[in-house]
């Protein structure tokens, strides 16, 4: 059975073509004999595949799992006629009824026994003794195919006291390469695989539940259920067919890792902050389901021998980190930094994007060990717009780990900014101590640009050179103790001002030569004398 991963089934199946047949099979209500039931179901089924489908749909929607009989075998019969008349059984009863119904319909069918990773399975456990599950193989189009009507019908709760019908398409003619993930037949020929897996490999292999495949996920690395950290770190990756959103929880939190979305999957590095064994869960949902819930698709046990104390992430860091197909969809194209972590040695960095139409951006800087006020979080970042390009110039106030959070909204929307994504910025140089950029006012227009001075804190008693790029205004003044006009040349306004005798310096513009009033656009502080 070659598996090209384009289908989860072992033969081509068009579910849309089954819609009428499925609806018919659901409504058939015959309880007096298995023969009569099959006769009624086959009225709408022509091909062998349709016959098997009708039987499958009927059993999955009419037989419930017998939680009482499972605990007390004396209350239980797995004979097909008893299963039909009571409407409940355990796996062996499902498989037995399926086998008999196929036999009446003239289709070869086998009842198979083996080990399963189903209810009560613990990660990494070993299997010994008698088999614990039963399922079927049916012969269609010249070869055998696998199905499990017990698992197709629904699920039992954690306390194993209540069964809920919840149809699962995954277990109908499942490809053997996927079926082996949680079904290990007593007779290895019935794996329908070459080469076959050993029991040890089955035990060690990662358990993928049906959500994993239903969401279009293909493979996960590592493939074993238990992961050992190396120098306090472990890495996990998932490959998938189409854009998928992921989250994770290690010991119930996503604080100790760094997850990035890839076009076809995700990568995750985790740094457990405690030694010993701990649970890692990975959740996913399709990218189109903006409101939908995340489903658990993978569970690992992480064995951590030593903690990497140096790698601590700020509390404000949100998963996933860095740019991705998701941020592209939000209008942030061609990022200068595709990596989620930006390292800077001198405490300065600059991130650029091409922006989609009509997007207004807000960015702020967060760190665990700094007392930045709301206003200062923004003032350590300067936005520079050139056409549809945006540059975020960042000057860090000190060394450490920072989160650069990026928010956006449509310019035409009056509402609030939405959080889009974040970067982690790291700086180890303890000498770093950049002042904030100057404060800008509402009249400072998006495509204005400060060439100098970039620092919002000017030295006292000095002549300071000003150079600003501003279009479409009549006059620019710098107001300190005295007022200094700037002169325009080639799109820039330039000049000097002296900072003696003042605590603040303002840049003001005259938007129209006919008006007499000026608007404040920038404010600088002056160092103490």
């Amino acid at each position: 059975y070659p598996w090209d991963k384009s289908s989860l089934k072992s033969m081509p199946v068009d579910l849309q073509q089954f819609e009428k047949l499925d609806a018919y099979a659901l409504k058939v209500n015959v309880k007096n004999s298995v023969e009569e039931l099959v006769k009624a179901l086959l009225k709408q089924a022509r091909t062998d595949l349709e016959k098997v489908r009708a039987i499958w749909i009927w059993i999955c929607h009419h037989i419930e799992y017998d939680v009482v009989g499972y605990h007390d075998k004396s209350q239980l019969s797995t004979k097909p006629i008893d299963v039909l008349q009571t409407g409940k059984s355990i796996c062996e009863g499902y498989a037995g009824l399926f086998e008999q119904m196929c036999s009446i319909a003239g289709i070869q069918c086998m009842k198979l026994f083996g080990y399963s990773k189903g209810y009560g399975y613990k990660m990494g456990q070993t299997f010994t003794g008698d088999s614990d599950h039963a399922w079927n193989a049916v012969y269609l189009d010249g070869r055998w195919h696998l199905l499990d009507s017990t698992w197709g019908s629904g699920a039992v709760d954690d306390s194993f006291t209540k069964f809920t019908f919840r149809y699962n398409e995954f277990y109908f003619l499942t490809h053997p390469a996927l079926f082996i993930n949680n079904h290990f037949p007593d007779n290895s020929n019935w794996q329908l695989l070459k080469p076959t897996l050993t029991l040890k490999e089955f035990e060690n292999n990662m358990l993928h539940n049906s959500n994993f495949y239903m969401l279009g996920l293909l493979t996960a690395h590592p493939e074993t259920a238990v992961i050992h950290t190396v120098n306090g770190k472990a890495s996990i990756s998932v490959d998938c067919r189409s854009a998928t959103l992921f989250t994770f929880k290690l010991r119930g939190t996503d604080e100790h890792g760094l997850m990035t979305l890839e076009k076809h999957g995700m990568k995750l590095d985790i740094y457990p902050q405690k030694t010993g064994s701990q649970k890692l869960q990975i959740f996913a949902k399709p990218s189109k389901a903006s409101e939908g819930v995340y489903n658990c698709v993978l569970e690992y046990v992480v064995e951590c021998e030593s903690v990497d104390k140096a790698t601590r992430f700020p509390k404000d860091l949100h998963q996933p980190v860095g740019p991705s197909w998701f941020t592209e969809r939000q209008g942030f194209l061609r990022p200068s930094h595709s990596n989620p972590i930006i390292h800077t040695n001198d405490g300065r960095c600059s991130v650029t994007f091409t922006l989609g139409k009509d997007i207004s951006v807000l960015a702020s800087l967060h760190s665990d060990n700094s007392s930045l006020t709301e206003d200062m979080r923004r003032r350590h970042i300067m936005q520079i717009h050139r056409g549809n390009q945006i540059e975020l110039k960042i000057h860090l106030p000190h060394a450490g780990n920072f989160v650069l959070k990026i928010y956006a909204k449509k310019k035409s929307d009056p509402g609030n900014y939405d959080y889009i994504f974040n970067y982690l910025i790291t700086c180890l140089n303890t000498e770093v101590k950049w002042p904030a950029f100057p404060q800008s006012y509402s009249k400072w227009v998006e495509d204005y640009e400060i060439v100098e001075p970039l620092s919002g804190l000017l030295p006292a008693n000095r002549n300071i050179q000003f150079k600003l790029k501003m279009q479409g205004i009549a006059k620019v003044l710098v107001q300190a103790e005295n007022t200094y006009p700037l002169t325009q040349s080639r799109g820039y306004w330039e000049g000097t001002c002296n900072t003696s005798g003042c605590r603040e310096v303002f840049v003001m513009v005259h938007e129209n030569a006919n008006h007499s009033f000026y608007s404040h656009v920038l404010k600088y502080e002056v160092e103490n004398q």
Side-chain angles (χ1 to χ4, degrees):
Y1 286 81
W3 185 41
D4 65 358
K5 299 189 177 182
S6 64
S7 164
L8 307 179
K9 309 266 185 214
S10 49
M11 67 188 285
V13 170
D14 180 354
L15 294 177
Q16 279 175 318
Q17 290 194 341
F18 284 150
E19 278 174 5
K20 267 201 183 121
L21 177 65
D22 290 358
Y24 170 77
L26 277 177
K27 291 200 185 75
V28 170
N29 186 14
V30 177
K31 290 281 171 79
N32 52 351
S33 82
V34 182
E35 286 75 13
E36 293 295 317
L37 171 59
V38 175
K39 205 161 105 185
L41 286 171
L42 295 194
K43 280 191 181 136
Q44 297 283 323
R46 297 184 321 282
T47 64
D48 281 358
L49 173 59
E50 286 175 356
K51 291 172 186 174
V52 169
R53 179 71 179 189
I55 293 168
W56 159 266
I57 286 291
W58 193 90
I59 290 181
C60 286
H61 293 86
H62 292 85
I63 307 299
E64 63 175 294
Y65 196 87
D66 186 353
V67 283
V68 177
Y70 173 83
H71 293 294
D72 178 4
K73 299 289 189 281
S74 69
Q75 301 285 312
L76 178 78
S77 164
T78 56
K79 284 202 198 96
I81 185 62
D82 295 337
V83 174
L84 173 61
Q85 288 177 348
T86 58
K88 55 187 176 191
S89 189
I90 59 169
C91 57
E92 196 181 330
Y94 280 86
L97 179 59
F98 206 100
E99 182 185 35
Q100 187 172 9
M101 288 174 75
C102 283
S103 154
I104 294 166
I107 289 157
Q108 283 189 72
C109 177
M110 295 287 292
K111 182 160 62 167
L112 304 177
F113 293 93
Y115 294 129
S116 73
K117 294 183 179 177
Y119 175 79
Y121 167 73
K122 297 275 183 294
M123 259 186 300
Q125 77 170 54
T126 54
F127 292 90
T128 52
D130 293 339
S131 55
D132 61 22
H133 193 46
W135 57 91
N136 297 98
V138 291
Y139 195 74
L140 294 169
D141 287 359
R143 59 180 175 180
W144 290 97
H145 301 269
L146 302 167
L147 44 79
D148 183 342
S149 59
T150 313
W151 289 9
S153 66
V156 284
D157 63 344
D158 288 342
S159 61
F160 214 78
T161 51
K162 183 168 167 286
F163 170 82
T164 308
F165 276 111
R166 189 164 62 238
Y167 176 68
N168 194 335
E169 178 61 47
F170 181 73
Y171 293 106
F172 179 68
L173 311 184
T174 317
H175 195 287
L178 307 179
F179 205 75
I180 190 64
N181 192 257
N182 45 20
H183 293 75
F184 189 83
D186 292 344
N187 175 344
S188 62
N189 290 335
W190 285 110
Q191 293 180 23
L192 304 182
L193 293 171
K194 259 200 190 108
T196 55
L197 257 72
T198 64
L199 180 60
K200 191 92 199 109
E201 288 170 316
F202 176 72
E203 288 170 346
N204 289 343
N205 272 0
M206 189 64 220
L207 171 63
H208 300 250
N209 57 23
S210 58
N211 285 333
F212 182 90
Y213 299 111
M214 297 302 244
L215 282 164
L217 309 187
L218 297 169
T219 52
H221 296 280
E223 290 174 337
T224 52
V226 180
I227 309 176
H228 294 269
T229 58
V230 177
N231 301 330
K233 171 185 169 184
S235 299
I236 295 92
S237 66
V238 176
D239 296 324
C240 56
R241 231 182 248 122
S242 55
T244 306
L245 293 165
F246 291 89
T247 60
F248 73 93
K249 283 205 168 8
L250 176 68
R251 298 180 80 109
T253 163
D254 68 356
E255 285 169 30
H256 308 304
L258 190 79
M259 189 180 83
T260 52
L261 291 181
E262 316 256 311
K263 190 155 200 136
H264 295 294
M266 70 91 170
K267 284 193 164 47
L268 169 63
D269 293 331
I270 51 165
Y271 300 85
Q273 294 301 300
K274 287 206 166 89
T275 55
S277 90
Q278 40 217 289
K279 183 156 89 170
L280 169 67
Q281 295 169 296
I282 292 169
F283 304 85
K285 71 174 182 181
S287 64
K288 295 178 191 66
S290 55
E291 296 303 307
V293 281
Y294 281 92
N295 279 304
C296 183
V297 288
L298 288 171
E299 277 194 17
Y300 287 98
V301 172
V302 179
E303 295 286 354
C304 176
E305 279 87 48
S306 67
V307 171
D308 175 357
K309 286 272 189 270
T311 309
R312 283 272 173 83
F313 298 114
K315 281 199 282 295
D316 279 312
L317 190 69
H318 266 282
Q319 308 290 345
V321 186
S324 64
W325 57 264
F326 177 77
T327 54
E328 261 184 34
R329 279 191 196 177
Q330 311 297 317
F332 289 80
L333 312 169
R334 293 191 271 291
S336 56
H337 295 69
S338 52
N339 204 313
I341 305 182
I342 299 171
H343 300 283
T344 161
N345 195 30
D346 68 356
R348 294 183 297 183
C349 61
S350 157
V351 186
T352 61
F353 302 95
T354 302
L355 279 186
K357 278 195 183 59
D358 185 39
I359 292 177
S360 174
V361 176
L362 190 71
S364 62
L365 209 53
H366 302 254
S367 145
D368 284 351
N369 52 356
S370 75
S371 49
L372 290 176
T373 61
E374 184 82 21
D375 177 47
M376 290 313 270
R377 282 178 186 161
R378 299 205 191 119
R379 291 218 5 234
H380 279 272
I381 305 167
M382 185 164 70
Q383 290 190 29
I384 300 165
H385 293 258
R386 302 182 187 95
N388 61 353
Q389 281 253 319
I390 182 175
E391 177 186 351
L392 300 175
K393 235 188 216 339
I394 296 140
H395 286 183
L396 299 179
H398 52 76
N401 287 340
F402 290 84
V403 181
L404 169 64
K405 290 197 172 188
I406 298 173
Y407 303 80
K409 73 179 185 81
K410 282 205 171 334
K411 284 180 187 161
S412 46
D413 281 0
N416 295 332
Y417 284 85
D418 289 326
Y419 167 78
I420 308 292
F421 69 118
N422 54 190
Y423 280 98
L424 177 63
I425 301 177
T426 65
C427 177
L428 297 172
N429 180 353
T430 51
E431 311 282 292
V432 162
K433 194 180 168 195
W434 291 100
F437 292 106
Q439 191 174 341
S440 59
Y441 296 102
S442 59
K443 290 283 186 186
W444 177 262
V445 182
E446 214 171 60
D447 49 9
Y448 291 175
E449 190 180 326
I450 305 172
V451 179
E452 58 181 347
L454 283 176
S455 167
L457 188 63
L458 303 176
N461 307 318
R462 289 273 182 85
N463 281 333
I464 305 289
Q465 186 69 34
F466 274 78
K467 184 175 183 181
L468 308 170
K469 186 179 177 185
M470 301 155 91
Q471 269 91 20
I473 40 183
K475 256 188 191 167
V476 182
L477 297 181
V478 177
Q479 184 178 2
E481 178 80 351
N482 302 315
T483 304
Y484 305 84
L486 301 185
T487 54
Q488 187 181 18
S489 80
R490 301 210 285 280
Y492 292 94
W493 292 85
E494 298 180 72
T496 45
C497 105
N498 190 288
T499 57
S500 43
C502 67
R503 300 297 310 278
E504 295 174 329
V505 171
F506 291 95
V507 177
M508 306 185 298
V509 299
H510 212 98
E511 293 174 45
N512 184 324
N514 303 327
H515 289 177
S516 56
F517 60 85
Y518 283 90
S519 309
H520 286 73
V521 289
L522 295 173
K523 172 182 159 186
Y524 290 85
E525 313 275 331
V526 178
E527 284 175 350
N528 293 336
Q529 311 291 334

